[in-house]
Amino acid sequence: MNVSDDRWLEELVASLQEAYDPGPDQLARWQEAVRRADASNDLRSAYAARKQLHRVAVCCGHTEIALVGFAWRLAQFDLRPELFEQDLFELLWDYKWSARSLSSFPEISRAQILETLDDLGLRLQRAGYSRRTEFYCRRDVALTLCDLECAERWHEEWLKQPRDRMSDCPACEQGAQVISLLCWKRESEAIELASPLLEGRLSRAWPPYGLIASLLCPLVRAGRTEQARRHHLRTYPNIADRLRYIGAAGDHLRYLVLCNDLDKARAVFERHFPLALQTPDPADRRGFYSDSLELFGQLRVHHPRTEIHLPPGFLATAGIENPYACSLWEWLSREYLDLATRFDLRNGNDYFRRHFRAANRDRLDQAMGAQLHTLAGQAP
Amino acid sequence: MNETRTAETESQAALSLVKNSQQPVSRANQDFRFQVNLQAIIDLLSNHLYSGPQVYIRELLQNAVDATAARSALDPSHKGEILIEVVPGREGVPSTLLIEDNGMGLTQEEIHAFLATIGSSSKRSDFQEQRANYIGQFGIGLLSCFMVTDEIVLITRSARGGPAIEWKGKSDGSYTVRVLETEHAPGTRVFLRSRADRADFLKPPFVRDMAARYGSLLPVPIVLVTGDRRCQVNAALPPWKQRYATESDRRAAFLNYGKRLCGVDFLDFIPLEMRSDGLEGAVFFLPHAQNISARRSNHVFVKGMLLTEGADNLMPPWAVFVRCVINSTQLRPTASREAIYEDDALLAARERLGAAIRDYLLNLSVKNPERLLQIIAIHSQAIMSLAAEDDEFCEVVGRHLPFETSLGIMSLGELQKHFQEINYVTGEEEFRQIAQVAAAQSLCIINARHYLAAKLLERYAALFPGQPVRRVTIQELTASFRDVEPAAQERAARLIETAASTLHPVNCRPSLRRFLPAELPVLYTASEARRLQRSAEQAREASSEVWSGILVSVFQESDPTFAELCLNYENPLIQRLLRTGSDAVARRVVEVLYVQALLLGQYPLNAAEMRLLNQALTGLAEFAAGCRKEGT
């Protein structure tokens, strides 16, 4: 193994520290750093560079890049524990995130995901941590696999375990509880629990843009429209144009539809649709399409000839004749159902297709293509 | 991780508050009042609310300024003044700080109501209708003094009349009130004797610096008294309040002010006078490039009092290339008074400041294009992010933005002038792979590695529909290389077939084209997806069964991708290879060219490629040593 002259790496690390919320530029730089370290067979630098790449890739919404780098680090850690033992805590910390993000890819089977959680749990126990983190991850995964009953069980188990250094910060954990409540449709409890986070009384390392976005519609439904409006105005500029927050952008879009501000909702769609097309995270894309269907469902009925500003070349690639809202609705429905079917088959349920059927019951009864009926009716 | 500890410690502090307030309950069905543990509150303030003990000076100044404002409201001819004096201690006795104002003063009733009730502020009740004139409003300011002293002595006499009153408060929560018989002018004097461990916070130079820092824009003179000397620490007017004989005087004054405050030799500035929005100050342009995601830090004064030197939520997200110094009458401080409350006033201020920068830059393009170019040369990325969002800005300023191209750095305007079509690639690596070849063929390809660059180019294209702007992939570019004539293609069929079978195990496909420079025998190109797949293969080789399976599921099973090795028909080595007629030689040479292309592109070799390399070198060595004959 080469002795590393890692001054270049140190400089890169320093530049990353400057950028507390790194963007695509940093991602390219760290990918370059990994290649450079690999090409010079410098194992330590290659490991260190991948560690940073993980953080940057997560910030940039590139789950797939983060997972590849993490898998390599985990393998090297297992092969040469003596070389990387100092990194145990951070490796396990990143493992938490990695294990929870696997369900974003429908290609990864349920069995593979559960096996990974077993592996994480074992490693955490061996390192002397309580089972809180493992159960936290199991709860999260159960939610993303749409197994709400199982999630409820893990949720209870999680909160019974003592906190330790591996636990997420109290604000993040509280945010996770809010998300659980939202998934279980207990919106008023979720709003209540989220109050300290919304008002900034409980802070965390990352601003909770995603959490705030997911609370916008519940706030409106609870009659707290002014609060929702304030949070929308305050947080939307911070998530706009960012791949990582494509899911949150969808929540803002859904909020605007709920407020009947279809023009703004359309602007949010047009701004983020190119990102939804390019996101490597199929779960994010599915979520954004689902939110967008709320908008296009409305436009299709009331303003079907609304012209949508689409990325260059999109119409030809998608095989759509015109950029009208009604055409987009049909295309989005097809794409959503295709994704929903893949996720449902992997998850072993019909959650997403059922959701689509419920949300579009009236619309499907109208003059809809037979293809959509078939896709939407594929529920087991 | 810090957040975790902070939150936990706060919870513990809150818990101790509850525990300390519990009284023995012996009387059933009676109402009880919460008791407050002052020490725990002070701990909460000093460790979690305020940034440090130095803020006691700000809180005292604030009370004094508000008191003079209240008196001026009663008597418009009144001229407020604040005196600060540090009396050195003798024979080991710590020094004492005196801060005196000629403001409204307090009556005995007001003392009980406001000084002894935590969270109660005189600025909330009597003067509610004039609250906009006051800085404080939370009623916790005076408590901050307990971060540096164990006892606060306050002597006050109300301008409305009545005797002078002495109030002594201790950090254990007890206080005494005494009516004084001596004559005192209306106003308030606060005495603090420093705690032994906080002596540094009451030393005259420290007090002077802090008073000047917090109070530089306060409308009331702050005079520091040292022996017989009196020195006003906030005498200098900020540059936006002064008049200048010439434009260069004005420029020098603003830039000097910026340097004094921020320690930076700024490039340029915009004076801000937005009276209707209650905003004044200046925006300064940084003289060095700033990462788009770097922390923002701006100076915010509220009604003349320094709130923070690190406001990161004041400016629009794209405005990383400026530092702002503003004094606002509209923004609301948080309870710590060290940050701004996120409300509609802040949203409006952010919008106005963003518009001011945008309009200034648009104006520069007409009045001082050289300076605009100077700013763009340093802050192109941040300006790009604004141009990508705004048609007018994109049209006027966008054309000056520089782009890296295969033909060197060029502005969008130059590109528009010299090329009928603007082509760009979106990946750094894609650009690196293609730049040399594109340049040799006078093809201009823009490196739009940053998503903002691509976004700007698309907006630009929409503004100038006559000139297409197109994202091209590396595959499209290699496909645009000149085809080899059908006859030559036919002659090369066998070589291509051999190359295809050689490269298939490493997920690569060969092609034959004519391209420049002729010295380059092959060009290896891989799409972004293929490059990531390579990394996944590399990780998979070392991974456990579980993770190896996951990587296969995501990256291989779904859609295996192929790189391309484009053989250059113009290259002499390729020409010789076409003539060898030996499949074995062709196979070994293709293997070597493939690995060489990878190494030149700084791609690490995976296990299959290492095998390929070994096989190639051994084979070539055997040919050279005559162990094997060509064609075997």
Side-chain angles (χ1 to χ4, degrees):
Chain A
M1 188 192 4
N2 291 353
V3 177
S4 71
D5 169 20
D6 49 17
R7 278 215 327 253
W8 61 274
L9 196 62
E10 280 170 21
E11 279 168 25
L12 259 183
V13 171
S15 79
L16 188 67
Q17 277 160 356
E18 257 175 49
Y20 74 112
D21 194 3
D25 251 17
Q26 277 84 6
L27 184 67
R29 287 174 78 181
W30 283 103
Q31 285 181 298
E32 182 67 31
V34 167
R35 260 193 308 279
R36 198 168 154 183
D38 282 348
S40 57
N41 198 24
D42 179 348
L43 195 58
R44 276 181 200 278
S45 296
Y47 189 95
R50 278 183 176 83
K51 205 161 114 178
Q52 302 296 341
L53 177 65
H54 181 91
R55 187 191 142 197
V56 178
V58 171
C59 288
C60 293
H62 278 281
T63 316
E64 82 296 9
I65 295 176
L67 282 178
V68 170
F70 175 76
W72 184 92
R73 259 170 79 205
L74 187 69
Q76 296 304 326
F77 184 92
D78 289 343
L79 286 171
R80 300 170 181 84
E82 73 290 347
L83 209 59
F84 302 116
E85 62 186 358
Q86 297 294 322
D87 190 50
L88 178 63
F89 174 80
E90 286 176 74
L91 185 82
L92 290 175
W93 188 270
D94 290 343
Y95 203 158
K96 280 200 307 187
W97 180 89
S98 302
R100 287 157 64 197
S101 63
L102 294 179
S103 53
S104 293
F105 297 90
E107 301 89 347
I108 301 177
S109 71
R110 192 184 169 100
Q112 280 175 313
I113 297 170
L114 297 180
E115 229 178 311
T116 315
L117 287 171
D118 292 343
D119 182 48
L120 170 65
L122 201 63
R123 287 172 190 265
L124 286 167
Q125 278 185 63
R126 278 194 205 138
Y129 294 104
S130 80
R131 301 197 71 183
R132 188 177 177 96
T133 297
E134 181 198 338
F135 294 164
Y136 177 61
C137 295
R138 287 190 186 278
R139 165 211 146 274
D140 206 54
V141 166
L143 282 175
T144 51
L145 294 177
C146 310
D147 190 344
L148 301 187
E149 280 177 28
C150 182
E152 202 156 356
R153 281 200 304 280
W154 287 122
H155 187 92
E156 283 169 18
E157 292 301 321
W158 160 47
L159 294 175
K160 281 182 203 162
Q161 300 294 320
R163 280 183 55 78
D164 59 22
R165 198 168 156 237
M166 191 53 69
S167 311
D168 275 6
C169 76
C172 291
E173 286 200 340
Q174 194 150 326
Q177 291 193 57
V178 172
I179 296 292
S180 294
L181 291 169
L182 289 175
C183 290
W184 299 326
K185 313 272 184 233
R186 287 153 60 183
E187 290 190 345
S188 55
E189 286 171 69
I191 292 171
E192 178 81 9
L193 191 65
S195 294
L197 289 160
L198 289 173
E199 291 157 16
R201 282 186 279 123
L202 192 55
S203 65
R204 45 178 239 178
W206 291 104
Y209 298 133
L211 183 74
I212 291 173
S214 64
L215 284 161
L216 293 175
C217 287
L219 282 170
V220 173
R221 285 191 282 268
R224 293 159 76 162
T225 48
E226 182 49 34
Q227 197 182 0
R229 189 187 77 91
R230 222 177 46 241
H231 285 300
H232 162 66
L233 290 175
R234 183 167 69 86
T235 55
Y236 180 69
N238 297 88
I239 59 131
D241 300 325
R242 299 182 59 184
L243 205 57
R244 178 188 181 193
Y245 290 114
I246 187 76
D251 285 327
H252 281 269
L253 192 160
R254 195 180 273 268
Y255 155 78
L256 289 166
V257 175
L258 188 62
C259 297
N260 210 22
D261 195 343
L262 299 188
D263 284 345
K264 272 195 189 156
R266 182 164 54 87
V268 170
F269 172 81
E270 290 174 344
R271 189 166 182 174
H272 291 89
F273 182 51
L275 293 181
L277 287 173
Q278 75 180 71
T279 180
D281 189 318
D284 274 353
R285 191 177 311 123
R286 187 203 65 224
F288 186 79
Y289 287 177
S290 165
D291 296 325
S292 303
L293 279 168
E294 289 293 311
L295 167 67
F296 284 95
Q298 298 269 343
L299 288 178
R300 183 176 165 270
V301 176
H302 304 295
H303 315 279
R305 307 282 277 186
T306 306
E307 206 167 307
I308 309 297
H309 179 71
L310 295 162
F314 170 76
L315 287 181
T317 321
I320 303 176
E321 282 177 9
N322 56 57
Y324 298 146
C326 51
S327 305
L328 251 289
W329 183 78
E330 202 164 323
W331 183 87
L332 278 168
S333 298
R334 265 200 308 275
E335 291 294 312
Y336 175 79
L337 281 169
D338 179 47
L339 281 164
T341 306
R342 285 165 63 199
F343 275 98
D344 283 348
L345 289 177
R346 190 276 307 277
N347 296 348
N349 54 42
D350 70 337
Y351 185 90
F352 293 116
R353 280 170 296 173
R354 196 153 31 88
H355 163 81
F356 179 83
R357 282 199 304 274
N360 294 282
R361 187 166 292 124
D362 300 339
R363 296 165 198 155
L364 281 176
D365 287 343
Q366 294 168 15
M368 269 300 304
Q371 192 187 0
L372 286 186
H373 272 296
T374 316
L375 275 168
Q378 270 179 353
Chain B
M1 304 312 290
N2 284 340
E3 284 74 13
T4 309
R5 281 197 291 273
T6 307
E8 278 172 354
T9 323
E10 265 181 46
S11 308
Q12 281 158 7
L15 196 65
S16 84
L17 281 182
V18 176
K19 281 179 184 164
N20 288 329
S21 67
Q22 284 172 347
Q23 300 287 323
V25 180
S26 56
R27 290 161 292 173
N29 300 327
Q30 281 196 11
D31 286 342
F32 295 93
R33 291 187 70 80
F34 282 106
Q35 302 292 306
V36 174
N37 179 335
L38 189 63
Q39 201 55 58
I41 290 272
I42 291 165
D43 177 65
L44 201 63
L45 293 181
S46 51
N47 291 323
H48 304 294
L49 189 66
Y50 294 130
S51 59
Q54 75 283 352
V55 301
Y56 82 93
I57 297 176
R58 182 190 65 198
E59 298 301 316
L60 288 174
L61 280 176
Q62 182 185 295
N63 284 343
V65 172
D66 289 342
T68 56
R71 187 156 176 200
S72 297
L74 203 67
D75 170 12
S77 66
H78 177 71
K79 295 271 179 270
E81 187 181 55
I82 300 167
L83 298 177
I84 303 178
E85 186 173 3
V86 180
V87 184
R90 286 185 206 149
E91 296 168 4
V93 176
S95 50
T96 299
L97 178 124
L98 159 66
I99 178 161
E100 177 177 357
D101 68 68
N102 59 354
M104 194 67 190
L106 294 170
T107 62
Q108 190 165 357
E109 292 71 33
E110 285 168 342
I111 279 186
H112 284 292
F114 304 132
L115 294 188
T117 308
I118 291 165
S120 179
S121 167
S122 62
K123 299 146 212 169
R124 283 204 187 138
S125 47
D126 284 5
F127 311 115
Q128 186 78 33
E129 68 283 1
Q130 291 158 16
R131 187 164 155 176
N133 295 331
Y134 307 114
I135 307 166
Q137 50 188 284
F138 294 96
I140 53 174
L142 198 62
L143 290 181
S144 66
C145 295
F146 286 125
M147 291 192 282
V148 295
T149 186
D150 286 326
E151 185 181 62
I152 303 168
V153 178
L154 182 142
I155 295 173
T156 183
R157 192 176 150 235
S158 173
R160 290 189 173 117
I165 314 285
E166 179 195 78
W167 177 87
K168 274 188 187 175
K170 291 189 174 169
S171 57
D172 63 6
S174 63
Y175 71 95
T176 58
V177 177
R178 189 161 66 95
V179 177
L180 301 180
E181 288 171 5
T182 45
E183 266 306 302
H184 287 268
T188 302
R189 279 189 280 171
V190 178
F191 298 85
L192 308 178
R193 177 167 287 173
S194 82
R195 244 166 48 192
D197 60 330
R198 299 290 199 202
D200 287 348
F201 290 92
L202 272 79
K203 286 188 173 157
F206 182 83
V207 171
R208 183 196 59 223
D209 289 351
M210 287 300 121
R213 181 177 156 206
Y214 288 121
S216 63
L217 300 187
L218 284 174
V220 182
I222 303 168
V223 177
L224 191 73
V225 182
T226 319
D228 296 335
R229 285 183 52 211
R230 289 166 59 93
C231 163
Q232 186 181 338
V233 297
N234 60 345
L237 285 173
W240 55 88
K241 293 256 192 217
Q242 295 180 41
R243 302 212 173 278
Y244 302 96
T246 66
E247 180 53 32
S248 66
D249 288 350
R250 179 167 168 270
R251 183 173 172 79
F254 268 91
L255 294 180
N256 282 338
Y257 179 77
K259 184 172 186 182
R260 215 170 49 246
L261 224 60
C262 310
V264 178
D265 278 314
F266 289 111
L267 195 66
D268 200 9
F269 71 100
I270 311 171
L272 300 171
E273 278 178 85
M274 303 170 177
R275 291 209 176 90
S276 58
D277 296 287
L279 266 180
E280 58 180 14
V283 170
F284 295 99
F285 289 82
L286 285 166
H288 50 75
Q290 188 77 344
N291 193 300
I292 194 97
S293 49
R295 285 178 198 280
R296 291 94 163 133
S297 46
N298 298 290
H299 282 63
V300 177
F301 292 81
V302 172
K303 295 162 199 154
M305 178 69 79
L306 175 68
L307 198 71
T308 174
E309 291 164 341
D312 60 358
N313 57 349
L314 176 67
M315 304 298 283
W318 50 264
V320 287
F321 54 105
V322 294
R323 289 279 172 273
C324 202
V325 179
I326 61 155
N327 185 20
S328 163
T329 55
Q330 307 289 319
L331 297 177
R332 263 202 311 147
T334 58
S336 70
R337 274 189 285 275
E338 290 173 26
I340 325 164
Y341 203 75
E342 283 272 0
D343 58 7
D344 288 347
L346 177 58
L347 285 174
R350 192 182 292 146
E351 207 167 289
R352 295 283 286 124
L353 289 167
I357 299 171
R358 172 193 178 277
D359 294 347
Y360 178 77
L361 291 173
L362 280 175
N363 205 21
L364 272 190
S365 72
V366 180
K367 293 195 170 157
N368 196 341
E370 291 79 20
R371 190 169 295 158
L372 177 66
L373 290 178
Q374 207 185 354
I375 293 172
I376 286 177
I378 299 172
H379 301 297
S380 58
Q381 200 187 80
I383 290 174
M384 196 179 278
S385 70
L386 176 56
E389 291 300 327
D390 182 321
D391 278 347
E392 189 188 358
F393 197 79
C394 179
E395 193 173 341
V396 178
V397 179
R399 68 194 164 90
H400 298 296
L401 286 166
F403 284 87
E404 183 185 11
T405 77
S406 52
L407 302 177
I409 303 286
M410 295 173 96
S411 73
L412 203 46
E414 285 172 311
L415 285 162
Q416 197 179 24
K417 196 168 150 194
H418 298 302
F419 300 96
Q420 291 201 327
E421 186 176 279
I422 297 177
N423 293 315
Y424 67 93
V425 291
T426 52
E428 175 70 28
E429 196 158 345
E430 244 179 332
F431 182 75
R432 198 159 47 81
Q433 289 180 70
I434 203 69
Q436 185 195 3
V437 178
Q441 291 163 92
S442 303
L443 270 176
C444 183
I445 306 290
I446 298 178
N447 179 5
R449 66 174 180 180
H450 199 287
Y451 77 101
L452 284 172
K455 204 171 166 190
L456 172 72
L457 289 170
E458 275 165 22
R459 186 172 280 268
Y460 207 71
L463 290 171
F464 300 98
Q467 188 170 40
V469 173
R470 210 163 61 88
R471 181 191 167 180
V472 289
T473 64
I474 197 155
Q475 286 76 15
E476 284 172 337
L477 283 173
T478 50
S480 74
F481 291 164
R482 271 196 306 141
D483 276 339
V484 174
E485 304 70 32
Q489 193 74 262
E490 209 169 297
R491 281 198 304 277
R494 192 158 167 186
L495 170 65
I496 294 299
E497 201 178 307
T498 308
S501 65
T502 308
L503 297 173
H504 190 267
V506 286
N507 287 352
C508 184
R509 286 172 181 154
S511 64
L512 184 68
R513 295 268 202 286
R514 288 177 188 275
F515 59 88
L516 297 173
E519 304 83 62
L520 203 64
V522 291
L523 180 70
Y524 173 85
T525 56
S527 65
E528 215 172 296
R530 175 62 205 143
R531 291 195 300 270
L532 186 63
Q533 222 165 57
R534 277 185 66 88
S535 303
E537 284 160 13
Q538 191 192 357
R540 190 167 55 82
E541 281 171 9
S543 289
S544 65
E545 205 180 316
V546 185
W547 276 91
S548 170
I550 285 169
L551 293 172
V552 168
S553 299
V554 180
F555 296 101
Q556 266 117 351
E557 272 178 357
S558 54
D559 186 18
T561 55
F562 286 83
E564 184 182 356
L565 191 72
C566 188
L567 310 181
N568 188 0
Y569 194 73
E570 304 283 353
N571 179 265
L573 174 64
I574 300 297
Q575 282 294 332
R576 277 205 294 279
L577 199 59
L578 282 166
R579 290 194 295 269
T580 66
S582 160
D583 288 349
V585 169
R587 188 177 295 278
R588 297 292 95 94
V589 173
V590 166
E591 284 167 351
V592 167
L593 288 174
Y594 171 75
V595 174
Q596 189 190 21
L598 286 183
L599 293 175
L600 283 174
Q602 291 195 330
Y603 290 94
L605 303 184
N606 61 31
E609 287 155 356
M610 282 303 285
R611 275 197 301 278
L612 204 74
L613 176 63
N614 286 332
Q615 198 173 294
L617 292 179
T618 310
L620 289 175
E622 283 173 354
F623 287 135
C627 306
R628 287 171 73 176
K629 289 209 163 65
E630 289 180 13
T632 60

